[in-house]
Amino acid sequence: MSQMVDTSADTDGAATIRNALTDKLLSAGVITSSVVERAFRVVPRHLFVPEGTPLEVAYNAHDSVATKRDRDGVIVSSISAPFIQARMIEQAGLGPGMSVLEIGSGGYNAALLAEVVGPHGRVVSVDIDPEVTDRARGLLDATGYSGRVTVIQVDAEDGVPGLDAPVDAIVVTVGAWDIAPAWLAQLSLDGTLVVPLRMNGITRSIGFRREGSHLVSTSAEVCGFVPMQGSGAHDERVFLLPDRRGSHVKLRFDGDVPQDMSLLDGVLATARTEVWSGVTIRHGVSFADLHLWFACFLPGFCKLAVDEGTDLAAEGEGWFPFGVVRGDSFAYLTVRPTREGVEFGARAYGTHGEAAATAMVEQIQAWDRRVRGGPAPTFAYWPTGTDRPETNEGTAVLEKTHGLLTISWPAAP
């Protein structure tokens, strides 16, 4: 059943906080065009979130809002944080009169897109989940956008029926492991694809345009999204390492899994070792590119999740969920305080823990020496059937189902 909302709930208070959010996104350089600014001032985000969500949460620049969970409580659908919605619409380069396909529905982002392309533009929003599309239709109808957005329940991996012409942009609002050939078939030759692409567990929202037979990036933003469902899904492989209390450290692999993970049995009962890099960073400075560097150049890279009560969890904020497996040992990223910030290092468990920690530290040092502070990496996608690209030591190549992804790191000056 479609969910209806009371549009009279768009009170002066909501308008005030919505304008404050828009002002913040403008001043931070997240919104850069007048059409996106207007959309964020006009569309009532609080009418698309679940009933009872406080306005301060609905309009927090960095808060996503869950709209559906599975039986285990895992979020399977959400309204993304305003900052990444604004950036992705800007990445798409949309304007009045253009056409856009949104993959991953919810209602609010489609309403923003409708405002950006205007009454002469076209917005098609699709989702694999009928509950999500029913909810989106109801909310778009209640807020006056049903005539400006077409909502379709379909698995977009195989293409969207009813598109009578290629669209000017495709905006994917779920985490994708690969780029479906059907998307490229339904994108105009000079169109833009914006997709939160998973690269060995690390996600970036990448704006792609065609260059000859392949795609090249025009922009990239740090982000996180719920994973895609359906035939385009790509599940991580998770390995549980029990500690002496029965709690677990979970190692999550998005790409290749090291051989014979059984070598890690009992690893948390071994003595912990640590290795420090000498590489420091000031408080408040992002080091998200280091995570992507690991994903590119650290064999055995994985992400970590820990149960409460493990020794690792007891370290508090001194560790980060990025690790590496080497045979019977594993290491994870950690920091220790310095006078003006922190120093990067690695802590490890296992008979050869020092070697695992050293492998991670060597990549921290390589990142610092070769690319830190330099130009951002660029991305290219080479569909199956196109010529394999020439690469150098600063380029990582990730094999995907439907093609190859290259990540090229320009040297720091």
Side-chain angles (χ1 to χ4, degrees), residues 168-232:
D168 297 309
I170 296 176
V171 178
V172 183
T173 62
V174 289
W177 192 82
D178 199 3
I179 295 174
W183 302 349
L184 301 182
Q186 296 192 297
L187 180 67
S188 66
L189 290 179
D190 59 351
T192 301
L193 168 67
V194 180
V195 54
L197 195 60
R198 260 171 43 208
M199 297 164 284
N200 208 6
I202 304 299
T203 303
R204 294 290 183 271
S205 171
I206 305 175
F208 282 113
R209 293 180 71 88
R210 285 186 174 92
E211 186 173 287
S213 62
H214 67 287
L215 305 176
V216 295
S217 63
T218 56
S219 60
E221 301 288 341
V222 176
C223 65
F225 278 82
V226 298
M228 181 167 289
Q229 303 175 49
S231 55

Side-chain angles (χ1 to χ4, degrees), residues 18-296:
R18 183 163 64 250
N19 281 321
L21 166 65
T22 308
D23 291 342
K24 181 176 182 178
L25 296 176
L26 277 167
S27 64
V30 175
I31 291 176
T32 56
S33 64
S34 59
V35 287
V36 176
E37 176 190 355
R38 181 184 176 279
F40 270 79
R41 294 197 188 280
V42 169
V43 181
R45 178 179 170 94
H46 65 289
L47 299 185
F48 289 88
V49 298
E51 187 176 355
T53 303
L55 286 177
E56 293 75 16
V57 174
Y59 287 104
N60 187 301
H62 297 281
D63 273 354
S64 61
V65 180
T67 55
K68 183 178 179 181
R69 298 176 184 267
D70 65 15
R71 287 178 294 181
D72 297 322
V74 176
I75 297 171
V76 294
S77 184
S78 67
I79 299 176
S80 299
F83 89 92
I84 193 60
Q85 290 179 307
R87 284 308 307 147
M88 290 179 73
I89 296 173
E90 294 284 13
Q91 285 181 283
L94 290 164
M98 297 178 74
S99 57
V100 56
L101 169 63
E102 179 193 39
I103 298 175
S105 196
Y108 173 66
N109 198 64
L112 292 173
L113 292 169
E115 290 290 349
V116 169
V117 303
H120 300 295
R122 184 184 184 197
V123 179
V124 177
S125 180
V126 306
D127 201 282
I128 194 172
D129 188 334
E131 289 186 17
V132 171
T133 52
D134 283 351
R135 182 179 186 276
R137 287 191 194 96
L139 294 172
L140 289 164
D141 184 49
T143 50
Y145 289 96
S146 59
R148 301 169 63 178
V149 178
T150 301
V151 180
I152 301 172
Q153 188 263 312
V154 67
D155 185 346
E157 180 77 5
D158 304 317
V160 178
L163 289 184
D164 53 8
V167 294
D168 297 309
I170 296 176
V171 178
V172 183
T173 62
V174 289
W177 192 82
D178 199 3
I179 295 174
W183 302 349
L184 301 182
Q186 296 192 297
L187 180 67
S188 66
L189 290 179
D190 59 351
T192 301
L193 168 67
V194 180
V195 54
L197 195 60
R198 260 171 43 208
M199 297 164 284
N200 208 6
I202 304 299
T203 303
R204 294 290 183 271
S205 171
I206 305 175
F208 282 113
R209 293 180 71 88
R210 285 186 174 92
E211 186 173 287
S213 62
H214 67 287
L215 305 176
V216 295
S217 63
T218 56
S219 60
E221 301 288 341
V222 176
C223 65
F225 278 82
V226 298
M228 181 167 289
Q229 303 175 49
S231 55
H234 182 89
D235 293 333
E236 295 178 319
R237 294 188 64 186
V238 180
F239 296 86
L240 303 181
L241 305 181
D243 69 5
R244 61 185 182 276
R245 304 183 187 91
S247 299
H248 291 91
V249 171
K250 304 176 182 69
L251 305 185
R252 299 162 46 202
F253 292 89
D254 187 63
D256 293 335
V257 177
Q259 293 184 348
D260 201 358
M261 289 292 290
S262 65
L263 293 174
L264 290 172
D265 290 348
V267 69
L268 294 179
T270 64
R272 193 182 72 186
T273 57
E274 57 188 42
V275 178
W276 296 96
S277 67
V279 177
T280 62
I281 193 167
R282 292 177 179 270
H283 290 303
V285 177
S286 172
F287 52 94
D289 273 358
L290 175 58
H291 314 158
L292 184 60
W293 179 269
F294 285 153
C296 289

